[in-house]
Amino acid sequence: MATSTFNKQIGNRNFLSAVGFQFTLTRDPKVSFFSNAAGIPEINLGVAIQPSYLKDLDVPGEKLTYGDFNLKFLVDENMQNYMSIHNWLTGLGFPESTKQYKDLITNKDTGLKETKNAFSDGSLRILNSNYNTVAQVRFKDLFPISLSALEFSSEGSDITYLSADVVFKYTLYNILDVNGKPL
């Protein structure tokens, strides 16, 4: 009896570090996000009410809702990563002309319009204490909905590097092991 209980315990007793992660965006692999904060978004299951003559009962619903994916990243000196998100947002919202959206969805190699270019898959790799990947969170159909301002100031005496926050919506995410199989 004691042996079976022992086998059900966790084998690796190291704790997951909050600094062990990397984010990649499929849409723009040349732009590396120097991420300094990210999280696995919340997931919620709706609840249905089952009427009863004594008390209404809560039962599991059928619709999942996912929280937003928030990412904080250091802005590179040439602002490539910031402008990549900025141009993606303005292309989706086309504030000046519809040409911005047309440019966003046009495949640069073929010249064909592909609405899938408005979205991107992304991956948040979770690293262990040796900085090896232990899991990855794969996001499907990401698109930005918010990009923070960049605040410049000459008041400080120390050099402070700018970071920006971006908020993404997406269809769903899956948490997979290093081989791409569900955990």
Side-chain angles (χ1 to χ4, degrees):
M1 184 74 171
T3 304
S4 63
T5 304
F6 181 74
N7 290 339
K8 293 180 182 179
Q9 293 184 6
I10 295 173
N12 183 351
R13 297 195 182 254
N14 293 326
F15 297 110
L16 188 60
S17 170
V19 298
F21 68 96
Q22 290 179 330
F23 179 70
T24 55
L25 190 63
T26 307
R27 181 180 192 277
D28 202 347
K30 292 180 185 173
V31 177
S32 172
F33 287 94
F34 303 114
S35 308
N36 52 3
I40 299 173
E42 67 183 39
I43 182 172
N44 294 300
L45 177 64
V47 177
I49 305 296
Q50 179 179 348
S52 170
Y53 69 96
L54 294 175
K55 176 190 176 300
D56 290 345
L57 304 173
D58 294 329
V59 294
E62 57 189 35
K63 191 181 288 188
L64 289 174
T65 56
Y66 294 91
D68 295 339
F69 176 55
N70 299 303
L71 179 71
K72 184 175 196 157
F73 62 95
L74 291 168
V75 179
D76 67 280
E77 188 172 64
N78 296 326
M79 295 177 52
Q80 260 188 312
N81 54 4
Y82 185 85
M83 290 310 298
S84 175
I85 298 294
H86 180 275
N87 294 339
W88 190 3
L89 265 167
T90 56
L92 289 170
F94 49 89
E96 294 179 43
S97 71
T98 56
K99 183 180 182 312
Q100 289 174 296
Y101 182 72
K102 181 181 173 185
D103 291 344
L104 176 73
I105 65 168
T106 302
N107 185 320
K108 292 173 180 75
D109 297 329
T110 64
L112 299 173
K113 292 180 187 66
E114 300 175 6
T115 55
K116 69 179 182 176
N117 288 343
F119 305 97
S120 177
D121 292 344
S123 183
L124 179 66
R125 293 183 7 199
I126 311 300
L127 309 175
N128 65 11
S129 57
N130 294 322
Y131 294 101
N132 295 320
T133 303
V134 293
Q136 52 184 311
V137 182
R138 287 197 189 153
F139 295 92
K140 183 164 176 49
D141 299 333
L142 285 165
F143 63 96
I145 60 166
S146 173
L147 179 63
S148 68
L150 292 179
E151 298 290 333
F152 295 90
S153 174
S154 60
E155 292 175 355
S157 60
D158 293 335
I159 295 176
T160 307
Y161 297 106
L162 294 178
S163 62
D165 296 307
V166 61
V167 179
F168 291 99
K169 292 284 189 183
Y170 53 91
T171 305
L172 59 91
Y173 69 81
N174 293 303
I175 303 175
L176 310 170
D177 68 9
V178 292
N179 299 315
K181 296 179 182 171
L183 285 175

